[in-house]
Every structure is written in structure tokens, then in C-alpha cells.
Amino acid sequence: LHAQCLQRLQSPRMDLCHVPATREKGWYLALMAPNVKGPNYAWLDPSRLYCHPQGLQDCVADLLQPFQGDAIDMVAGIDAMGFILGAAAAATLQKGFLAIRKAGHLCVQTVAQPYTDYSGREKVMEVRTDTISPGEPVGCSPFGGLRVWARGTHPQPLPPPGLRILLVDQWVETGGTMRAAIKLVEQLGGVVAAPLCVPTGVAAICMENSEGGKWIQERYKCSQCVPRHLQPHFDQH
């Protein structure tokens, strides 16, 4: 994959019209650009694939495929690169988009969550408090939104579930950023993995099998674009 990226960079510009005859899952990963600036930067720049119209469409389609038929109320993207894929996913699903920002940029009431990013730097993210709130019952129970009690008692309404949020970021490396975003959403009453209803979850181009990445995958429904046979390459970069 790295060799394919380097080969594409030898061209002065991307061929926006070239599409492979067989568009297998992840074909667009070869459009990503490798690091040419040294160890202070990430090893790949995925944003190059966003410039390719079919590559971007197929990337978003692959991210959303595992959630087909799932109830999703809103898509949330993490500052900053998660905004691109998150907004594209929201537009595809015809849902609203919630921006989870780096602290200090929102002029409204927010809640904040500290975290450590993939580079080991301590940061803080925040989200507005006027968007996510417990929602109305959505009838996902086979009993029509009612809890079934023992024989002879009366059924009682289920407590309303929170908004079901699909969290999107460009990459999950150590998992620290995504775990902080999950805490923010759940703190405000949103549901990342709804126990009462169809679960939503977490989506990224790549979810590395780091300790933090595994923690997320064990607890939430996840989607990524990296085919299984390429996963070791991304884990060992």
C-alpha cells in the first residue's frame, strides 16, 4: 500500500477520473499520501483520497454499510478531520451533524472532556449542551415500547432512549480521542451503543488494534475501511 501511495505521488496531480474496473472495499486507500516531512507528522495523509470524487463516495459508503437498517438520529464528527467524513456521512443518511470541537472555539454553553491524543499530547475537547438530549421512544421493542412484567401485572412504558449517535473520525490510533468523544456524548444523554434499541456506533477509515482501539471495538459497533488482510500493515506502521 505504501508503495502504491508513493507511485501515485510521482504524478504531478491526481487523476480524478481514474476509477479501477473492480472497486473492492478499500481500493481508495492507495490514494492516501505518505509522510514526506518527518517524524513530527502522521505516517499517512488520508485527506488526499477526499479529493477523488469516487474515492470519497466509496469510502463513506463502506463506512456506513455495517449500519444499514440501524436507527441513527445524528452523526457526530471529531475536530478536525472527522468533520469531513462525518458531514459526508450525515448528508448521505440525511441526518444532522454535531461538531465535537477542540476546547476554546464554541461561544455557547459546553461540557468539556480532557484526553491524550495519539501523539501523547494532553488536550481538551468540548461539545455544545443544547443539542443532545434524551429522545422519544422509538418503538424498537418487540412489545411496542413497553416493558413486560410478570404475569398479572401491567406493562409500563420504557424510559425514553437517548439520541442514537454515530461517531465519526478519520483515524483511531491509540483510541484516546474517540473514547473522550464517547464520554461526552454519553454524558449528555446520547447513546453510542444503545442497549434498548438498535445500536449505533463508531466509524473511521482505520481502527488500529492498539489497546485503546480494541477497547472501543469490544464495547461498540464499529466500522472501518481497512480490509482484514491489510490490518497488520496499519497496526505496525
Side-chain angles (χ1 to χ4, degrees), residues 129-213:
T129 60
D130 58 357
T131 302
I132 301 178
S133 60
E136 297 298 325
V138 293
C140 57
S141 166
F143 306 105
L146 299 176
R147 178 183 286 110
V148 176
W149 295 78
R151 182 177 299 178
T153 63
H154 296 287
Q156 299 294 323
L158 285 171
L163 283 175
R164 290 147 305 185
I165 308 296
L166 176 61
L167 272 165
V168 180
D169 202 0
Q170 178 172 265
W171 209 272
V172 174
E173 189 167 343
T174 63
T177 303
M178 183 59 74
R179 288 183 69 171
I182 290 171
K183 288 181 180 179
L184 278 181
V185 168
E186 294 182 338
Q187 180 181 346
L188 289 175
V191 178
V192 177
L196 297 177
C197 304
V198 180
T200 52
V202 175
I205 290 178
C206 177
M207 301 192 69
E208 298 186 21
N209 284 321
S210 59
E211 180 179 350

Side-chain angles (χ1 to χ4, degrees), residues 84-103:
I84 300 171
L85 287 178
T92 300
L93 295 171
Q94 298 184 3
K95 300 296 181 180
F97 175 76
L98 174 67
I100 298 178
R101 301 295 310 274
K102 292 183 176 71

